[in-house]
Amino acid sequence: PRAERRALDPANAGADERPVERADLAPVNYCSGTDENGIADGAHIYRIVLKLGVQMYPYGWNDDDFVSIYLDSYPDPVYSGHLNAGDEIEGRSERYDWACLVDGSYSVVSNMSTELEETFEFRDESNALAFEFRESGYKEFSLNGGYVHGHPTPSPTISSGPTKNPTPAPSVTPDFLLYYTSADKTLGQYNIRTGSYKDLLVGDDYFDGDVAVDSTNQFLFFSSTSRGQITKVDLTTEDFIGVMSDTSAVPTGVAVDPSSETLYYVDQYYSSVRMINYAGLASTVEDVRNFTKEGLTPVGIDVLPTATMEDWNPDNPGMIFVTGYTALEGHIMQITLDGAAARVVYTTSNQLLYGVAVDMDSSLMWWIEDRGISNGLFAKAIDADDEALVEVASISNAIWVSALWHQEILFTSDYDEGTIIQYSISRENAEVTSSDTVASPSSGECRGVAFYYGPSWSR
């Protein structure tokens, strides 16, 4: 089938079809953001790129291969794409489509052949890559103001599923795996579905830093503060691959950008936020922001690759939040993804701030802070006064935090108790609704914690 784009008033989903555009630029007057009466409808234009391997040009995708995008609660796709032979831009193995989509929650399902190197890219209004598929799969996401965000609800509410099933079909019940570091010498896995534990690697002082998981690309990263190293783990094969090694470096917090396959990390020796491609040691480490001028020693980090705020970076998507300390105070810094601008969004007389997780849909920051007599998980609105913070949970000795926002769940570990705690939260009210100790590794002294939430693989 030819690619089709449907419009965009949910009440008339599927009623307005337009021919495929093959130009690199969006059609003039396409997706004006207003309906036929001149009323703003919240729609924005998004670029879709359909590709196949250079060696397969110009044969097109397999007949049964497709990509479909669904707006939650509507049975028909708002976009369906297939790359036919001859549909490519002349001399190239790709075609551009344009989708005019209203703000809301979506899911995308793909049936694609890896043998033909078929690829689907979804790009935001600024042409920044939001995500891509290179094989059959499924993803939830949301759109707002021309940019792509995480899905704000636990699961899509499509009244009926896609008319075609991808091969393999999307997992009805995603894998839910916790990864943790224990006693600074064990990297372990806990399967929340089955309650089973597994040690991935045991080694002295390897695991005295942070842990981050990229569920999209199925990679895990951990920092070794005492060794000056960051290591990547391919979760499907359990291969360990060096990403960064510098005997002077002191890497602590780590965070991932799955779309660009970029690792961001904090280096205390260089007082910097730095970045490196997933390819690792073959890539160049780049400084994103150096805090020497501010006198700040950074500790924890969270990256939001497409986030914007009207008073901060309306035309420069992406931001980073960093915890750290100066000689007298602790701070949370907000910086643009390119590091060009920075501002303080929280200051405390206490210096012991650690992991941070930011929910842009609710404009809330959640972080770990050790206040001596009041240690635990804190939260406040990004632009609120410092006095507006709330201690949402008391924890004896926590360091890192990991958030699954669309499930309204936060994970952290208690080093003293040797446990991993799951907090169910209210994203709007910055409060914990319930808590549960979900794992207690036998080696105790849990420090890093992260999760994998996505399709299963053979183990």
Side-chain angles (χ1 to χ4, degrees), residues 175 177 179 189 218 235-238 452 454-459:
D175 266 5
L177 307 170
Y179 292 92
Q189 170 191 290
Q218 299 177 331
L235 295 177
T236 63
T237 63
E238 297 183 6
Y452 172 82
S456 61
W457 61 83
S458 177
R459 293 181 193 81

Side-chain angles (χ1 to χ4, degrees), residues 219-222 228-233 240-246 256 260-265 274-286:
F219 291 131
L220 177 147
F221 299 86
F222 65 87
Q229 296 175 346
I230 297 177
T231 304
K232 176 176 70 177
V233 184
F240 286 69
I241 306 154
V243 173
M244 189 281 295
S245 182
D246 179 348
V256 295
S260 65
E261 297 192 4
T262 301
L263 176 74
Y264 293 83
Y265 67 96
R274 317 191 99 187
M275 60 185 283
I276 189 170
N277 187 272
Y278 284 5
L281 298 175
S283 303
T284 302
V285 173
E286 298 180 38

